[in-house]
């Protein structure tokens, strides 16, 4: 598909005809990167809601459409709100919400911080420059309204509870997170995601839960409603207690190693994860928990690089016979048994399980 990466469509206070009867028709009516401005009570202040950086993560769009159309007239937020709908082409490619990015494209949410972009040999012939250009357009669309808060709505690949991610914790970041969930991850991972940019305001990524989970759409909707109506004359009010988890690490499989999912040890080469790996997104993993099986290369198949650039996999996992088990109590996020995403992004994120009640 040919994309005009220099193009951006603007809608201001769209009427019900423009919004269509349902989110599918609305999405299909969009051409590409789309910005929607909604006028608030205080027209001097802006907040930004970003969604669909990944085309297969629909909760943000579904919830935004519901928020915009649930009454006879548009909602009146406390401040102006700029909505940015990014990967329209990927979201409408073949089946709706089935593609993270187009087959000849790259992950848009890895293109915001050029330092974080590793152009691998896999990316040859893909429109990397076009996606960097689109990321720059999105960044510009955010900067031109000088927002006081930004949320970026996503779904996880596998099922799991909602959580928030940020690179900098402040009272307002905790408040915004509390509108959506009760867990906030402080991340210093540099992968070129939008939230890594400095907009001089809170930037919170919300992982609403699994993309096919109605509960995830509900989390997004309720959070947007609260985010839009909260009064920010000083600090935003916090809705509930939020637990902070520090500095997740990414467990990745090395290139060219085979990745499988199974209920049993099948003696496959490479790495085999338990097919029910997603269930460990809920709650914690205790020491000695079995997560899968490894071939004769053992932990060499895997890598977990810390912020010093050191592979620390031995601190978190160990090999017992040919079993991959936890070496300590830990918490995992975003585990998924979708092989493509697990291979191209990471198997899952890991944090030390410092609290018993996790
Ligand atoms: Zn995403």
């Amino acid at each position: 598909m040919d994309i005009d990466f220099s193009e951006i469509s603007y809608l201001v206070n769209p009427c019900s005809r423009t919004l269509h009867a349902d989110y599918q028709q609305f999405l299909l009516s969009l051409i590409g990167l789309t910005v929607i401005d909604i006028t608030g009570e205080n027209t001097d202040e802006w907040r930004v809601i970003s969604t669909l950086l990944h085309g297969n993560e629909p909760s943000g769009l579904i919830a935004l459409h519901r928020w915009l159309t649930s009454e006879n007239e548009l909602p009146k937020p406390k401040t102006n709100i700029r909505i940015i709908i990014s990967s329209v082409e990927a979201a409408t490619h073949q089946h709706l919400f089935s593609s993270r990015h187009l087959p000849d494209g790259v992950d848009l949410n890895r293109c915001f911080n050029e330092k974080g972009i590793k152009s691998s040999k896999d990316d040859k012939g893909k429109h990397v420059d076009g996606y960097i250009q689109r990321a720059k357009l999105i960044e510009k669309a955010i900067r031109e309204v000088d927002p006081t808060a930004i949320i970026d709505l996503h779904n996880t690949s596998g099922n799991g509870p909602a959580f928030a991610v940020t690179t900098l914790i402040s009272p307002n970041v905790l408040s915004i997170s509390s509108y959506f969930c009760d867990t906030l991850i402080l991340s210093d991972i540099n992968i070129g995601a939008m939230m890594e940019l400095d907009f001089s305001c809170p930037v919170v990524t919300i992982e609403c839960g699994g993309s096919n989970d109605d509960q995830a759409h509900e989390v997004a909707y309720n959070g947007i409603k609260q985010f839009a109506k909260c009064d920010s004359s000083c600090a935003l009010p916090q809705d509930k207690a939020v637990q902070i988890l520090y500095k997740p690490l990414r467990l990745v499989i090395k290139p060219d190693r085979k990745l499988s999912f199974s209920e049993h040890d099948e003696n496959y080469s490479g790495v085999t994860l338990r097919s029910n790996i997603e269930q460990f997104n809920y709650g914690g993993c205790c020491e000695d928990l079995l997560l899968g099986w490894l071939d004769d290369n053992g932990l060499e198949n895997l890598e977990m690089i810390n912020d010093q650039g050191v592979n620390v996999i031995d601190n978190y996992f160990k090999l017992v016979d040919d079993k991959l088990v936890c070496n300590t109590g830990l918490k995992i996020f975003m585990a998924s048994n979708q092989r493509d995403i697990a291979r191209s992004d990471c198997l899952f994120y890991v944090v030390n399980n410092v609290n018993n009640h996790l």
Side-chain angles (χ1 to χ4, degrees):
M1 182 191 284
D2 283 334
I3 299 182
D4 183 350
F5 288 103
S6 63
E7 193 173 39
I8 183 163
S9 305
Y10 284 90
L11 300 171
V12 179
N13 296 321
C15 65
S16 58
R17 201 160 49 87
T18 306
L19 290 168
H20 291 80
D22 57 52
Y23 66 84
Q24 293 99 331
Q25 289 181 53
F26 174 61
L27 177 64
L28 288 166
S29 75
L30 303 179
I31 293 162
L33 174 59
T34 301
V35 167
I36 306 175
D37 287 342
I38 305 295
T39 306
E41 289 170 19
N42 172 7
T43 55
D44 295 332
E45 185 184 338
W46 289 82
R47 294 174 191 159
V48 168
I49 303 177
S50 153
T51 193
L52 275 187
L53 280 173
H54 293 138
N56 59 348
E57 299 178 6
S59 283
L61 183 91
I62 292 172
L64 281 163
H65 188 268
R66 181 175 163 197
W67 178 64
L68 291 171
T69 58
S70 56
E71 306 283 334
N72 285 329
E73 54 188 29
L74 283 175
K76 190 83 168 171
K78 277 282 170 205
T79 68
N80 290 341
I81 295 219
R82 170 159 284 191
I83 296 166
I84 303 179
I85 305 172
S86 294
S87 300
V88 170
E89 300 89 345
T92 54
H93 180 64
Q94 295 180 340
H95 304 292
L96 285 190
F97 306 118
S98 62
S99 306
R100 186 175 173 95
H101 55 74
L102 291 175
D104 61 355
V106 295
D107 187 332
L108 179 59
N109 206 27
R110 300 289 178 271
C111 294
F112 282 88
N113 180 353
E114 280 173 72
K115 279 183 289 184
I117 299 166
K118 291 191 301 236
S119 198
S120 71
K121 66 177 192 304
D122 297 351
D123 291 340
K124 281 221 177 86
K126 302 195 169 180
H127 301 129
V128 180
D129 292 345
Y131 285 83
I132 293 172
Q133 189 182 358
R134 175 161 289 187
K136 286 212 171 358
L137 272 185
I138 294 166
E139 180 183 347
K140 185 162 162 278
I142 295 173
R143 292 202 191 282
E144 70 193 11
V145 295
D146 192 18
T148 54
I150 302 167
I151 55 173
D152 183 25
L153 300 170
H154 289 254
N155 289 102
T156 44
S157 310
N159 284 318
F163 60 93
V165 191
T166 191
T167 58
L168 194 65
I169 291 180
S170 68
N172 278 352
V173 165
L174 282 168
S175 299
I176 292 166
S177 303
S178 75
Y179 305 150
F180 293 88
C181 56
D182 55 17
T183 305
L184 172 64
I185 298 178
L186 175 66
S187 169
D188 58 358
I189 292 172
N190 201 328
I191 49 176
M194 194 185 84
M195 70 167 181
E196 294 162 25
L197 297 179
D198 181 4
F199 291 104
S200 306
C201 73
V203 185
V204 185
T205 296
I206 307 289
E207 297 286 352
C208 300
S211 50
N212 296 318
D213 186 352
D214 285 344
Q215 181 61 30
H217 312 332
E218 197 69 23
V219 160
Y221 175 67
N222 289 323
I224 289 166
K225 264 201 320 194
Q226 272 191 282
F227 178 66
K229 75 165 195 239
C230 67
D231 203 336
S232 63
S233 48
C234 49
L236 301 178
Q238 191 167 334
D239 188 48
K240 55 180 176 290
V242 173
Q243 182 181 37
I244 302 171
L245 300 173
Y246 292 92
K247 296 195 175 179
L249 297 174
R250 290 151 55 87
L251 178 67
V252 301
I253 180 168
K254 287 184 181 165
D256 308 323
R257 311 291 169 111
K258 190 172 165 220
L259 175 62
S260 312
F261 292 89
S262 178
E263 287 165 24
H264 312 283
D265 186 5
E266 310 271 9
N267 285 316
Y268 292 143
S269 69
V271 178
T272 306
L273 290 181
R274 283 171 67 171
S275 45
N276 63 347
I277 190 76
E278 288 182 11
Q279 81 175 55
F280 301 110
N281 291 328
Y282 299 89
C285 300
C286 55
E287 190 175 345
D288 295 326
L289 180 79
L290 171 70
L291 295 175
W293 302 269
L294 301 171
D295 69 8
D296 292 345
N297 292 313
L299 291 173
E300 279 291 301
N301 287 294
L302 301 165
E303 209 167 50
M304 242 172 114
I305 306 292
N306 72 3
D307 54 358
Q308 310 295 315
V310 178
N311 184 7
V312 291
I313 186 143
D314 295 334
N315 298 351
Y316 294 85
F317 301 101
K318 63 187 172 191
L319 189 67
V320 177
D321 303 325
D322 63 346
K323 299 184 186 73
L324 172 68
V325 300
C326 298
N327 201 10
T328 178
L330 47 85
K331 189 163 171 56
I332 72 172
F333 292 89
M334 297 183 82
S336 162
N337 56 16
Q338 293 176 39
R339 195 172 325 180
D340 291 351
I341 188 71
R343 168 172 284 295
S344 64
D345 198 31
C346 64
L347 301 182
F348 45 78
Y349 291 76
V350 178
V351 287
N352 271 322
N353 195 354
V354 286
N355 286 316
N356 298 329
H357 60 267
L358 274 174

